Each structure stands twice: as structure tokens, then as C-alpha cells.
Amino acid sequence: MPFIPHTEEETREMLDAIGADSIDELFDEIPHNLRCGDLATLGPGLWEQEISQLMQEKARSDGQPLCFIGAGAYDHHVPAAVWQLATRGEFYTAYTPYQAEASQGTLQLLYEYQSMMTELMAMEVSNASLYDGASALAEAVLMAVRAHRKSKSRRILLPRSLHPHYRATVHTLVKNQGIELVELAYDGSTGQIDQNDLEKYSNEDFAALVIPQPNFFGVLEDTDWLTSWAHDNGMLAIGVVNPLLMSILAPPGTWAETGVDIACGDGQPLGAPLSSGGPYFGFMCCTQKLVRQMPGRIIGRTVDLDGKQGFALTLQAREQHIRRSKATSNICTNQGLMVTAATIHMSLMGADGLARVARKCHRNLNLLKEKLTGLGEIELLFSGPAFHETVLRLPLEAKRVLRTLAAHNVLGGYDLSHHYPELGDNALLVCATENRSAQDMDKYRLKMEQVLASRRQGACATMAKFD
């Protein structure tokens, strides 16, 4: 229920009605020594994100941990207005807009979302969302195989530096459809796609090359070179991007001037809280020439016979209706509520707001790297430029460090040993968003320093207890 404060006139009218001189008089039975006084120690006013950070800090005193984990889901500030509006009844319970005449509000919102995503990605067309980022990539792979008329290949070049969950999801969805995923190596020095490994496939027939920006290590790829290479070798280019980063870097529709053919990713950074893993939503954009191969829904704007503006489903892939085996999509789920939140989030933030958040994330990551590598025993694993997160090499096993940090309410990062055993057991992926303050990073540095010190003193780091 919304809070609407009373005006001074309304307050005075109510006091007069009950015969009281002031609101304080209503509490005259409370002894003076129990009253809070004039709140002279109350500090200056804070803005919304600062209030949120203050309350999180208070909550952490009861055990809420500091989060330095990224790995595809990021702890961003979401303005309170986003979910205050998204959970209104007309949005919260809205179903798929089959009947345009009864769904104009939902259709308009989805149309606005598509318009924002095409502008953010510099692409010609956007659909109205998919299930999540991983399944969006799987749909992009299927779309590329169908749409590439000049190639008979059912092979896709997929970088090993792509998010491992994305790779696993793509494999699950295409493995029984005769599509081969060929893994590309990454450069052990820079963390980027190994161009020498890529050149081995110059004279072979592939349907598409997948280009992550950034990749799972947080490293930025040379997207212009990769897009040009794909097109020069007769392949479609699929960009898998962080939408927040596109507010400050060249969007996929401009890579190598020609742009990619398909852009996709996860919309979690656009107003979706972590929420123990979801729900999030996937987005997909493409060029106009591929639009009829695009899965999901596209909302169009038109006018009726009286010249009034109206919205309708312009393109809809509904697999249940007919010819399911030849459908353009395996999944028809539209994450409408999350897209609603993302649309409100982008509207409130604007292009400048998104860019400021992205820049602060980048500054915070650089500050975190300085603090941790300044301990002398931790070093950067990759030299490539990074955004949101980076990989560190620790002097001891990463899972032991993370276990100890977690015992002290610091979620220190993501252990890479399971998905990338070639990096050893001491490779740690760490992340810093705009929500991490300098004090947060100082606390992380202190706890990490204590873990390292306990090892030097011969103590068991896993069981170390700090003051």
C-alpha cells in the first residue's frame, strides 16, 4: 500500500477534531527519559542507493555477507520505483497478450522494451524476450543454422571462454539436432579468444562464430576483428553481450561497421535482483533480413481506422499451433514480468544513468584489483582489459580461501577449478559492481590478508578465526 503523507492542514484538522494541540500530546503517557529526543545525532540525508547500502551494512552485522561473486549474475542497485511499479496488479498478473484489444498496456510496454533494446544494441529488431541468456544463445545458434542460406554447414565456433553454463545449455538444446559445436581455445596470456586457433578454421564451412563481450573471465574481446573475420569467412556473427556494458562500449550492431547478425544475452543487469538465482530473462536482437527466423514475439505499432495508435503481435512463433517440428523456437516462454522491470529500470536510468553505473563498476573493479594484488602474493592471471570481473591467481587453493572468507561473511568470488581445471586450483574470479564501496573492498582485503597470514604461520586457513 503506498504511503501518502498528510498535509499540515489535514493534520491540524484531525488534531482539532480530537481536541489535541499537537501529535506529541498523543504520546504524553511515554516517560521523557524513554523518548528519543530531537535526533541531534542523525546524520545528513542520504540518497536511495546510499540508504540501501546503509541498511545492507546493518543487516550484515546479523550475518548478511558481502558479495564479490559475479559469474553471470551481478549485484546491482535497483531503484525502489522499479519493483514498486512492476508489481502493480496490471503488470504483476498480466498474461501473454493473445488478444490485442484487451492487452494494449502490456503490448505497449513490450514495444517500448523492444525499442530500448534495439537502441542499446544498435540493432534493427528485438524480440520480446526469451527464457534466459543461456537459452537465448541456444536459440541464436539454431536461428543461425536455419538462416544462413549460403552455408550448408551445421557447425558453430563456440569459445571456451564463454560462460560454461551457456555452453552446456547450447549443447543440451542442439546436440540431437545434428549441430556440431567446435570449441575455440583462449589465449593463456590475455584471456581473449586465441586468434591463432581461430585461423585454423579459415577455409572451413561454419554457420556462425559466437563472440562474447566480455567473456566469462571478464576480459574484453577484439570484437571488430572477430566480426570481420567471421564475415570474411562466410559465417554469421553472434554477439553474446552484457547489456550494461553496451552503454559505454561499441554495441554489437556497430562491430566492424557491418555489425553482428544476432545479438543476445541475459537481461539480469537491467533491474533484476539476484534473488537466489532468478528469475532473469534473455534478450535477442537481429538484423532485419533475419527477422522471420527470430523466435519469440515481436510487438508492432499501428493505427486503427480512426487513426488512433494501437499495438499488436506483429510476429509470433507459437510452437503449439502447427508444425511444431519445424518451429523457429524450442521455447516460447516470455519473461514478461522481468521485461517489465527492465523497461522501467532503463526508463528511470536513461542512457546517461546506465553509462554512469557501468563506469563505476569499472572503477570499482580496478580499485579491487589494486587492493588485492597490493598484498604481494596475489597476481592477475590475464592481461586483457576487463569489465565487471577479473581472474586472480592466489598462493593457495581457491576453495579453501573461499571457505574461510565465507565463514567471515565475505563471498570472495568464484572458484574456476571445476570448469577450467587447466588454470589450476588457485584461480579465482572476482567481481565488483557499483554496489561495493571502498569500505567493502577494504574489509575484503583485510580478510584476505588474514587468510594469507594464517597460512604463513602454519595455521589451517580453512578453520582460521579472525577478530
Side-chain angles (χ1 to χ4, degrees):
M1 186 174 183
F3 170 68
I4 303 175
H6 297 294
T7 64
E8 291 184 7
E9 292 77 10
E10 290 171 334
T11 302
R12 184 70 263 164
E13 184 179 349
M14 288 188 286
L15 289 172
D16 290 342
I18 62 175
D21 292 332
S22 68
I23 292 178
D24 290 340
E25 189 176 327
L26 301 177
F27 304 97
D28 59 359
E29 69 274 15
I30 300 176
H32 284 281
N33 64 319
L34 296 181
R35 301 184 186 185
C36 63
D38 58 2
L39 302 178
T41 60
L42 192 65
L46 304 177
W47 63 292
E48 184 184 307
Q49 185 178 355
E50 292 173 326
I51 287 288
S52 177
Q53 290 173 335
L54 175 63
M55 298 308 293
Q56 289 173 3
E57 181 181 338
K58 298 297 184 184
R60 280 194 289 274
S61 65
D62 291 331
Q64 180 181 340
L66 273 173
C67 182
F68 291 90
I69 306 175
Y74 304 100
D75 181 21
H76 290 296
H77 171 68
V78 180
V82 171
W83 284 98
Q84 178 69 20
L85 294 173
T87 52
R88 287 175 59 96
E90 60 267 38
F91 293 133
Y92 202 52
T93 60
Y95 191 58
T96 300
Y98 295 122
Q99 295 175 284
E101 66 276 11
S103 307
Q104 283 298 290
T106 300
L107 289 166
Q108 180 175 358
L109 182 139
L110 294 175
Y111 178 85
E112 300 296 345
Y113 161 78
Q114 292 171 176
S115 302
M116 292 177 186
M117 292 306 297
T118 53
E119 184 172 356
L120 188 59
M121 299 294 149
M123 301 289 288
E124 293 176 312
V125 185
S126 167
N127 71 4
S129 92
L130 292 164
Y131 184 68
D132 61 12
S135 61
L137 175 59
E139 296 288 355
V141 167
L142 293 169
M143 180 178 169
V145 171
R146 291 193 307 269
H148 200 334
R149 304 296 186 186
K150 296 181 179 179
S151 171
K152 296 181 180 180
S153 173
R154 299 179 68 82
R155 303 169 75 200
I156 302 290
L157 286 170
L158 199 68
R160 180 165 172 72
S161 56
L162 183 70
H163 197 303
H165 293 170
Y166 282 40
R167 288 187 281 123
T169 299
V170 174
H171 174 74
T172 297
L173 291 179
V174 308
K175 65 180 180 180
N176 292 323
Q177 301 193 47
I179 296 175
E180 179 186 358
L181 304 175
V182 178
E183 188 172 271
L184 286 173
Y186 58 86
D187 187 300
S189 174
T190 65
Q192 297 172 317
I193 292 174
D194 188 332
Q195 295 185 5
N196 291 327
D197 187 48
L198 185 61
E199 288 288 4
K200 294 189 306 185
Y201 303 106
S202 293
N203 298 318
E204 299 186 30
D205 189 11
F206 284 86
L209 167 67
V210 174
I211 307 170
Q213 184 70 331
N215 63 29
F216 186 61
F217 304 135
V219 175
L220 302 180
E221 299 284 357
D222 186 347
T223 54
D224 286 343
W225 186 88
L226 292 168
T227 303
S228 293
W229 185 92
H231 289 161
D232 290 345
N233 286 276
M235 306 175 195
L236 298 183
I238 302 173
V240 182
V241 302
N242 181 320
L244 180 63
L245 178 58
M246 297 303 100
S247 65
I248 57 174
L249 287 190
T254 66
W255 293 352
E257 295 185 0
T258 58
V260 300
D261 302 279
I262 306 169
C264 61
D266 202 297
Q268 186 273 328
L270 302 176
L274 293 178
S275 301
S276 300
Y280 305 144
F281 73 93
F283 64 86
M284 179 184 286
C285 299
C286 72
T287 58
Q288 185 68 42
K289 65 181 180 181
L290 300 181
V291 66
R292 290 199 170 274
Q293 293 295 338
M294 176 177 268
R297 302 173 178 85
I298 295 178
I299 313 304
R301 182 175 66 178
T302 185
V303 293
D304 64 15
L305 294 176
D306 297 324
K308 297 179 180 179
Q309 177 178 268
F311 300 88
L313 284 169
T314 303
L315 182 65
Q316 177 188 26
R318 293 299 288 167
E319 295 71 35
Q320 301 93 308
H321 295 347
I322 57 172
R323 298 201 309 166
R324 186 172 184 179
S325 63
K326 296 183 180 181
T328 59
S329 174
N330 289 309
I331 300 173
C332 62
T333 299
N334 173 18
Q335 297 289 70
L337 181 61
M338 309 311 294
V339 166
T340 299
T343 307
I344 298 169
H345 183 83
M346 288 187 285
S347 299
L348 290 173
M349 300 294 287
D352 182 61
L354 293 175
R356 283 189 283 114
V357 169
R359 292 189 184 99
K360 188 171 183 180
C361 289
H362 186 59
R363 289 196 300 271
N364 281 354
L365 176 62
N366 288 335
L367 181 59
L368 181 63
K369 288 192 295 186
E370 290 175 11
K371 289 180 180 293
L372 294 180
T373 56
L375 293 173
E377 298 185 74
I378 299 175
E379 59 184 17
L380 292 176
L381 193 58
F382 299 122
S383 62
F387 175 78
H388 249 161
E389 49 206 325
T390 193
V391 181
L392 303 176
R393 178 182 282 122
L394 306 179
L396 64 163
E397 195 177 14
K399 68 179 180 181
R400 293 179 59 202
V401 173
L402 293 176
R403 192 181 309 152
T404 306
L405 290 173
H408 295 274
N409 287 324
V410 175
L411 303 179
Y414 186 84
D415 177 13
L416 293 174
S417 61
H418 176 69
H419 294 294
Y420 297 93
E422 68 273 14
L423 297 179
D425 60 9
N426 60 347
L428 180 67
L429 184 67
V430 297
C431 173
T433 67
E434 83 282 10
N435 269 349
R436 296 288 73 84
S437 66
Q439 291 78 12
D440 293 339
M441 289 182 267
D442 284 338
K443 179 179 179 180
Y444 185 13
R445 185 185 188 279
L446 175 62
K447 297 302 181 184
M448 180 68 80
E449 185 177 25
Q450 291 171 330
V451 172
L452 301 180
S454 68
R455 175 186 63 90
R456 290 193 297 270
Q457 294 165 5
C460 176
T462 303
M463 303 302 294
K465 301 296 182 185
F466 311 135
D467 294 329

